[in-house]
Amino acid sequence: MRRRLTALPILLSLLSRFILIVHSHGFQTNLIHKSRLQIRPGSPFKMALFADLHFGEDAWTDWGPRQDINSVKVMSTVLDQELPDFVVYLGDVITANNIPIKNASLYWDQAISPTRARGIPWASVFGNHDDMPFEWPMEWFSTSGVPPLLCPQNNNVSYRTGWLLATSESEYCSFRGTTRLELMKNEVEHNTLSYSISGPKDLWPSVSNYVLKLVSSSSSDPVAYMYFLDSGGGSYPEIVSYAQAQWFNRTSQQVNPDARVPELIFWHIPSQEYKHAAPKFVLDKNCVGSMFTEKVAAQEAEMGIMELLQGRSSVMAVFVGHNHGLDWCCPHKNLWLCYARHTGYGGYGNWARGARILEISQQPFSLKSWIRMENGSVHSEVVLSSS
């Protein structure tokens, strides 16, 4: 009995050291038990990509909250019609530069609510607007003056414009913004269905860098690996850095050394390679989509990630958002470069809203995609990979 009591402090010390090591590397506690997803028996694995929701845009007006309500309707329609197994929030979940409160997680929480309410797991990556500093609206300095709604005198006052409640008055008036780390921490700690992870600390300030494994319905054999990368913007340059590229290289070699298992890549801002893949004509027979109305707004520089992706035969496709007026998929150097579809009513553009759907079948492996629109229609079906 005495020996057991003596050993107990040693065991607790070792456990505490392990926990400290895990947290010092920037990993959330869900990294261990939430790194894999499993295909349901007898059916393919289906994902919905929600891009550029822009919750909180023009938060001080009547217009802004109405757009958030409309965005919830789009997501609800897609989820109810497609019944996906998983959802990816593909960046610009919020428009932080339009949110004059510190706790922008309130808007983030509203954005993920349709998925959470249906019990569907999800993962997220950051976009360029998600942690941008607050930008003072020009109209606040017009003859009408600063709107009186900005700083309520009483705590827990509900704004008639539809603002979400904060925990204190100071959060309404601080204009300090919410960091990527705070947004991710809030999502993960308060949502058991979130598979998002704060990636390795040595990659910060980029945060949403992690990999999830999709396994067979009948075993633990991998069917696909899904890599999520933070493409920057907001608080730092719009890039996938050299360090992130090397992280991908090390991680992919570790989990998929012979490149036998298909790999999918998700981030927000398209790489420079998207400019080369973009169709020169709307009726490009190699590209599949319905919107070709913009030029590619790419990352600021190429730091090596695309060279690595193009050199791996296992990489099937890259999926991005950012350009609201593009929804194409184009083959380029042994992989597909794809846009999602503008899902949110926030952000620029009046194009119809929808979401890109991905469907993975395991035996034999197949990756298919299409666009599901808010009005229920489906278009731009394409087979991105088949064996």
Side-chain angles (χ1 to χ4, degrees):
M1 180 69 70
R2 184 168 297 176
R3 289 181 181 175
R4 291 179 181 176
L5 290 173
T6 303
L8 182 59
I10 298 175
L11 291 173
L12 291 175
S13 176
L14 291 173
L15 179 61
S16 64
R17 285 188 181 185
F18 173 74
I19 293 173
L20 180 61
I21 290 171
V22 170
H23 281 279
S24 70
H25 283 79
F27 291 102
Q28 297 292 343
T29 54
N30 72 346
L31 177 59
I32 296 173
H33 69 275
K34 278 193 175 180
S35 60
R36 75 175 201 173
L37 298 154
Q38 189 163 29
I39 298 178
R40 290 183 291 113
S43 63
F45 187 81
K46 186 185 292 186
M47 293 185 285
L49 310 187
F50 292 149
D52 299 279
L53 294 168
H54 287 278
F55 271 71
E57 187 139 332
D58 283 1
W60 55 88
T61 68
D62 290 323
W63 178 89
R66 287 201 303 269
Q67 308 319 304
D68 294 346
I69 292 172
N70 291 335
S71 298
V72 168
K73 291 179 180 178
V74 177
M75 290 185 284
S76 298
T77 297
V78 171
L79 294 174
D80 290 342
Q81 294 188 347
E82 290 289 352
L83 301 175
D85 301 287
F86 196 65
V87 168
V88 175
Y89 286 88
L90 204 54
D92 281 2
V93 177
I94 58 177
T95 302
N97 48 300
N98 273 197
I99 300 176
I101 62 174
K102 176 174 174 53
N103 193 6
S105 291
L106 295 169
Y107 288 96
W108 193 284
D109 190 65
Q110 190 180 24
I112 62 180
S113 62
T115 302
R116 182 181 55 216
R118 289 161 176 79
I120 303 170
W122 73 86
S124 59
V125 293
F126 288 113
N128 53 299
H129 280 279
D130 287 316
D131 74 342
M132 287 185 70
F134 180 74
E135 297 177 1
W136 294 84
M138 185 66 70
E139 58 266 30
W140 286 16
F141 302 93
S142 66
T143 55
S144 60
V146 177
L149 297 176
L150 290 177
C151 298
Q153 296 301 312
N154 299 318
N155 294 341
N156 299 324
V157 174
S158 179
Y159 276 33
R160 62 177 173 82
T161 56
W163 278 28
L164 298 172
L165 296 178
T167 57
S168 67
E169 178 181 337
S170 63
E171 289 189 346
Y172 278 107
C173 308
S174 66
F175 303 103
R176 287 179 293 176
T178 309
T179 67
R180 276 168 156 80
L181 286 172
E182 290 172 316
L183 289 167
M184 185 65 83
K185 180 180 179 181
N186 186 77
E187 179 191 316
V188 171
E189 291 187 353
H190 295 90
N191 295 283
T192 58
L193 292 169
S194 172
Y195 278 67
S196 301
I197 298 171
S198 291
K201 190 174 182 179
D202 57 4
L203 297 183
W204 293 355
S206 69
V207 172
S208 52
N209 304 289
Y210 54 98
V211 58
L212 300 178
K213 178 170 66 173
L214 179 64
V215 301
S216 168
S217 59
S218 57
S219 69
S220 59
D221 293 338
V223 174
Y225 287 101
M226 298 184 290
Y227 297 85
F228 301 84
L229 292 163
D230 189 336
S231 57
S235 59
Y236 70 100
E238 298 179 354
I239 55 169
V240 173
S241 69
Y242 175 80
Q244 288 171 279
Q246 292 307 302
W247 170 84
F248 168 81
N249 190 39
R250 292 192 305 270
T251 304
S252 60
Q253 293 293 339
Q254 178 182 356
V255 301
N256 193 17
D258 56 2
R260 179 181 56 85
V261 180
E263 297 171 317
L264 311 180
I265 315 296
F266 302 90
W267 65 62
H268 179 70
I269 306 174
S271 68
Q272 294 280 335
E273 281 294 307
Y274 270 72
K275 292 182 177 180
H276 303 296
K280 302 300 185 292
F281 307 98
V282 174
L283 298 178
D284 189 320
K285 63 180 181 180
N286 294 317
C287 297
V288 180
S290 69
M291 292 201 303
F292 304 87
T293 57
E294 292 185 280
K295 293 182 178 179
V296 172
Q299 296 170 29
E300 296 176 30
E302 173 59 58
M303 300 291 184
I305 185 64
M306 289 307 302
E307 183 178 355
L308 290 171
L309 298 183
Q310 291 161 1
R312 282 183 68 81
S313 60
S314 50
V315 177
M316 302 290 104
V318 180
F319 300 94
V320 303
H322 195 56
N323 276 108
H324 299 182
L326 301 176
D327 72 350
W328 47 257
C329 277
C330 293
H332 183 68
K333 295 183 180 178
N334 85 319
L335 53 79
W336 285 82
L337 299 183
C338 293
Y339 277 97
R341 176 83 187 204
H342 185 196
T343 305
Y345 271 81
Y348 71 91
N350 294 317
W351 301 286
R353 270 56 172 184
R356 179 168 292 281
I357 307 298
L358 305 179
E359 184 180 82
I360 298 175
S361 300
Q362 57 178 328
Q363 292 179 343
F365 179 86
S366 175
L367 174 62
K368 300 178 182 179
S369 183
W370 59 89
I371 303 292
R372 170 70 71 170
M373 299 302 295
E374 181 181 15
N375 65 6
S377 63
V378 172
H379 63 79
S380 302
E381 297 183 46
V382 58
V383 176
L384 300 175
S385 176
S386 61
S387 57

